[in-house]
């Protein structure tokens, strides 16, 4: 089977992009990154792309009147590479619903929390404020609702009393560097399906994902402040 063409969207340092590049080089990830697109011209990830011989493009959101116009330009740029998968690897813009609809089921995002806990920003600080003992990262399919699409894989880290937002960020990033290539590999191997809002791997629900879905229900019932959801993740 030919390597799946992929476009990676970034906004910053691109360490997760590098994890994908390294996995491809190691022969463990059957994809070909056709382009890296950043909404910031100063993103270090663009240099990582160039060093790996990958076309590096910039679509600066400041150049557009709003999210719709920005996402139209982004979609046109991505379309040049006919990707089978688009990976949001630290891409820090909210995507317009039309963009999400256009690339539905082939758009995955990396998020630094154990979704459905802590969608949005400042996840490490919020984990500490809430007193959680477990934290982590998720890769999920993107839907119109922010950070709420079906989860493909999660990686966990223990939260220690000495942790700070910065130390948690570092720990979580280590987890991200293996869950993102793993999720992309499963997608490229066509092992993922979405069934009734859940992701199946080889046709089966993964146990951890079952917990996450249960937690989603509890949190929804409890307006996001459930204490029982904490125990679900232990
Ligand atoms: C990651 O922690 C990701 O979860 C967050 O932004 C960070 C990107 O890191 N949304 P990098 O650019 O891949 O180094």
């Amino acid at each position: 089977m030919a390597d799946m063409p992929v476009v990676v969207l970034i906004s910053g340092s691109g360490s997760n992009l590098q994890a994908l590049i390294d996995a491809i080089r190691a022969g463990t990830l059957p994809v070909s990154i056709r382009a890296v697109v950043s909404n910031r011209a100063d993103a270090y990830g663009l240099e990582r792309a160039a060093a790996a011989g990958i076309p590096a493009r910039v679509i600066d959101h400041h150049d557009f009147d709003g999210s719709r116009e920005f996402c139209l330009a982004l979609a046109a740029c991505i379309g040049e590479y006919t990707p089978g998968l688009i990976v949001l690897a630290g891409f820090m813009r909210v995507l317009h619903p039309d963009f999400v609809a256009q690339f539905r089921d082939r758009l995955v995002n990396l998020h630094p929390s154990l979704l459905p806990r802590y969608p949005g920003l400042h996840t490490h600080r919020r984990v500490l404020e809430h007193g959680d003992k477990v934290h982590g990262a998720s890769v999920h399919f993107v839907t119109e609702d922010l950070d709420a699409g079906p989860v493909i894989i999660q990686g966990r880290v223990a939260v220690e009393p000495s942790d700070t937002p910065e130390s948690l960020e570092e720990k979580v990033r280590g987890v991200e560097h293996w869950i993102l290539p793993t999720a992309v590999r499963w997608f490229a191997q066509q092992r993922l399906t979405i069934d009734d809002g859940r992701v199946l791997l080889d046709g089966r629900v993964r146990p951890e994902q079952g917990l996450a879905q249960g937690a989603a229900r509890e949190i929804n019932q409890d307006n996001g402040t459930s204490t029982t959801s904490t125990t679900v993740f232990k």
Side-chain angles (χ1 to χ4, degrees):
M1 201 187 297
D3 288 348
M4 176 174 282
V6 170
V7 169
V8 181
L9 307 189
I10 63 164
S11 298
S13 91
S15 67
N16 285 285
L17 164 68
Q18 191 66 53
L20 295 174
I21 293 169
D22 292 347
I24 293 167
R25 284 196 180 133
T28 60
L29 186 54
V31 305
S32 162
I33 302 178
R34 294 290 164 83
V36 170
V37 187
S38 172
N39 65 306
R40 297 178 53 126
D42 62 352
Y44 179 64
L46 293 168
E47 292 181 36
R48 297 182 192 266
I54 300 168
R57 307 277 301 266
V58 177
I59 309 283
D60 188 334
H61 58 281
H62 293 107
D63 294 340
F64 301 90
D65 281 341
S67 158
R68 187 161 187 281
E69 287 70 20
F70 167 63
C71 285
L72 278 172
L74 192 59
C77 175
I78 291 169
E80 292 177 32
Y81 302 97
T82 56
L85 177 67
I86 298 130
V87 179
L88 311 182
F91 183 68
M92 301 304 284
R93 302 301 300 175
V94 176
L95 293 166
H96 191 276
D98 291 349
F99 180 99
V100 175
Q102 182 176 346
F103 296 109
R104 201 174 179 86
D105 297 346
R106 52 193 176 110
L107 189 58
V108 298
N109 180 46
L110 172 66
H111 182 76
S113 80
L114 294 172
L115 292 171
R117 295 177 73 71
Y118 310 114
L121 299 173
H122 310 301
T123 58
H124 312 305
R125 194 179 72 204
R126 289 156 67 200
V127 161
L128 290 173
E129 284 168 359
H130 203 260
D132 292 4
K133 299 282 181 279
V134 181
H135 183 30
S138 308
V139 181
H140 65 96
F141 284 104
V142 176
T143 59
E144 283 78 4
D145 300 319
L146 182 68
D147 299 328
V151 170
I152 300 167
I153 185 171
Q154 295 183 314
R156 287 144 209 263
V157 299
V159 181
E160 308 295 342
S162 58
D163 269 319
T164 62
E166 292 71 30
S167 69
L168 280 185
E169 181 178 5
E170 192 180 328
K171 282 189 201 175
V172 167
R173 201 155 289 186
V175 164
E176 292 177 346
H177 292 172
W178 68 263
I179 63 170
L180 186 62
T182 301
V184 172
R185 179 182 316 117
W186 288 344
F187 186 94
Q189 293 170 333
Q190 300 180 3
R191 296 172 64 189
L192 299 176
T193 47
I194 304 175
D195 176 48
D196 195 21
R198 291 175 315 181
V199 177
L200 307 183
L201 174 67
D202 300 330
R204 289 188 295 274
V205 179
R206 303 177 66 239
E208 308 92 280
Q209 191 195 329
L211 290 180
Q213 296 293 332
R217 277 192 290 279
E218 289 178 39
I219 287 171
N220 287 339
Q221 283 162 11
D222 218 336
N223 257 344
T225 55
S226 168
T227 47
T228 52
S229 64
T230 310
T231 57
V232 172
F233 284 109
K234 278 180 179 165

